[in-house]
mmCIF file of all heavy atoms in Angstrom:
data_model
loop_
_atom_site.group_PDB
_atom_site.id
_atom_site.type_symbol
_atom_site.label_atom_id
_atom_site.label_comp_id
_atom_site.label_asym_id
_atom_site.label_seq_id
_atom_site.Cartn_x
_atom_site.Cartn_y
_atom_site.Cartn_z
ATOM 1 N N LYS A 268 3.570 8.261 66.454
ATOM 2 C CA LYS A 268 2.607 8.869 65.546
ATOM 3 C C LYS A 268 1.475 7.886 65.241
ATOM 4 O O LYS A 268 1.572 6.673 65.460
ATOM 5 C CB LYS A 268 3.301 9.291 64.255
ATOM 6 C CG LYS A 268 4.396 10.321 64.464
ATOM 7 C CD LYS A 268 3.835 11.612 65.031
ATOM 8 C CE LYS A 268 2.953 12.319 64.049
ATOM 9 N NZ LYS A 268 2.368 13.573 64.595
ATOM 10 N N ASP A 269 0.375 8.440 64.702
ATOM 11 C CA ASP A 269 -0.804 7.619 64.430
ATOM 12 C C ASP A 269 -0.505 6.517 63.428
ATOM 13 O O ASP A 269 -1.058 5.416 63.517
ATOM 14 C CB ASP A 269 -1.943 8.508 63.901
ATOM 15 C CG ASP A 269 -2.433 9.485 64.965
ATOM 16 O OD1 ASP A 269 -2.222 9.188 66.160
ATOM 17 O OD2 ASP A 269 -2.996 10.531 64.594
ATOM 18 N N TRP A 270 0.356 6.801 62.453
ATOM 19 C CA TRP A 270 0.637 5.792 61.440
ATOM 20 C C TRP A 270 1.549 4.698 61.968
ATOM 21 O O TRP A 270 1.956 3.816 61.240
ATOM 22 C CB TRP A 270 1.196 6.407 60.172
ATOM 23 C CG TRP A 270 1.891 7.706 60.325
ATOM 24 C CD1 TRP A 270 1.311 8.923 60.462
ATOM 25 C CD2 TRP A 270 3.299 7.924 60.364
ATOM 26 N NE1 TRP A 270 2.278 9.895 60.581
ATOM 27 C CE2 TRP A 270 3.500 9.313 60.518
ATOM 28 C CE3 TRP A 270 4.416 7.095 60.273
ATOM 29 C CZ2 TRP A 270 4.754 9.876 60.590
ATOM 30 C CZ3 TRP A 270 5.668 7.656 60.340
ATOM 31 C CH2 TRP A 270 5.826 9.037 60.501
ATOM 32 N N PHE A 271 1.907 4.767 63.274
ATOM 33 C CA PHE A 271 2.632 3.687 63.923
ATOM 34 C C PHE A 271 1.763 3.005 64.979
ATOM 35 O O PHE A 271 2.257 2.200 65.760
ATOM 36 C CB PHE A 271 3.905 4.211 64.597
ATOM 37 C CG PHE A 271 5.078 4.291 63.681
ATOM 38 C CD1 PHE A 271 5.455 5.486 63.115
ATOM 39 C CD2 PHE A 271 5.799 3.149 63.358
ATOM 40 C CE1 PHE A 271 6.547 5.559 62.273
ATOM 41 C CE2 PHE A 271 6.881 3.215 62.507
ATOM 42 C CZ PHE A 271 7.255 4.424 61.963
ATOM 43 N N ALA A 272 0.485 3.387 65.061
ATOM 44 C CA ALA A 272 -0.380 2.865 66.117
ATOM 45 C C ALA A 272 -0.836 1.447 65.792
ATOM 46 O O ALA A 272 -0.852 1.001 64.645
ATOM 47 C CB ALA A 272 -1.590 3.780 66.288
ATOM 48 N N GLY A 273 -1.230 0.733 66.853
ATOM 49 C CA GLY A 273 -1.779 -0.610 66.706
ATOM 50 C C GLY A 273 -0.794 -1.605 66.125
ATOM 51 O O GLY A 273 0.404 -1.576 66.414
ATOM 52 N N LYS A 274 -1.323 -2.487 65.270
ATOM 53 C CA LYS A 274 -0.487 -3.524 64.685
ATOM 54 C C LYS A 274 0.527 -2.968 63.693
ATOM 55 O O LYS A 274 1.526 -3.627 63.408
ATOM 56 C CB LYS A 274 -1.377 -4.562 63.986
ATOM 57 C CG LYS A 274 -2.278 -5.338 64.937
ATOM 58 C CD LYS A 274 -3.098 -6.379 64.186
ATOM 59 C CE LYS A 274 -3.968 -7.175 65.144
ATOM 60 N NZ LYS A 274 -4.786 -8.194 64.432
ATOM 61 N N ARG A 275 0.255 -1.779 63.183
ATOM 62 C CA ARG A 275 1.188 -1.195 62.228
ATOM 63 C C ARG A 275 2.558 -0.937 62.865
ATOM 64 O O ARG A 275 3.572 -0.917 62.174
ATOM 65 C CB ARG A 275 0.613 0.106 61.669
ATOM 66 C CG ARG A 275 -0.495 -0.109 60.651
ATOM 67 C CD ARG A 275 -1.052 1.196 60.158
ATOM 68 N NE ARG A 275 -1.786 1.913 61.195
ATOM 69 C CZ ARG A 275 -2.399 3.083 61.013
ATOM 70 N NH1 ARG A 275 -2.355 3.659 59.836
ATOM 71 N NH2 ARG A 275 -3.040 3.667 61.994
ATOM 72 N N LYS A 276 2.561 -0.724 64.203
ATOM 73 C CA LYS A 276 3.828 -0.501 64.895
ATOM 74 C C LYS A 276 4.751 -1.692 64.713
ATOM 75 O O LYS A 276 5.937 -1.541 64.412
ATOM 76 C CB LYS A 276 3.580 -0.263 66.380
ATOM 77 C CG LYS A 276 4.866 -0.174 67.208
ATOM 78 C CD LYS A 276 4.571 -0.120 68.693
ATOM 79 C CE LYS A 276 3.840 1.137 69.050
ATOM 80 N NZ LYS A 276 3.692 1.280 70.523
ATOM 81 N N TYR A 277 4.221 -2.888 64.869
ATOM 82 C CA TYR A 277 5.041 -4.088 64.762
ATOM 83 C C TYR A 277 5.461 -4.348 63.313
ATOM 84 O O TYR A 277 6.526 -4.919 63.053
ATOM 85 C CB TYR A 277 4.283 -5.282 65.334
ATOM 86 C CG TYR A 277 3.878 -5.075 66.772
ATOM 87 C CD1 TYR A 277 2.589 -4.673 67.105
ATOM 88 C CD2 TYR A 277 4.808 -5.231 67.800
ATOM 89 C CE1 TYR A 277 2.223 -4.466 68.427
ATOM 90 C CE2 TYR A 277 4.454 -5.016 69.132
ATOM 91 C CZ TYR A 277 3.166 -4.633 69.433
ATOM 92 O OH TYR A 277 2.815 -4.407 70.740
ATOM 93 N N ILE A 278 4.618 -3.936 62.386
ATOM 94 C CA ILE A 278 5.000 -4.065 60.975
ATOM 95 C C ILE A 278 6.201 -3.175 60.681
ATOM 96 O O ILE A 278 7.165 -3.602 60.031
ATOM 97 C CB ILE A 278 3.812 -3.694 60.064
ATOM 98 C CG1 ILE A 278 2.669 -4.700 60.249
ATOM 99 C CG2 ILE A 278 4.267 -3.643 58.601
ATOM 100 C CD1 ILE A 278 1.423 -4.355 59.444
#
Side-chain angles (χ1 to χ4, degrees):
K268 299 297 292 179
D269 294 337
W270 25 281
F271 274 100
K274 295 182 179 180
R275 285 179 292 181
K276 174 188 295 187
Y277 302 99
I278 295 177

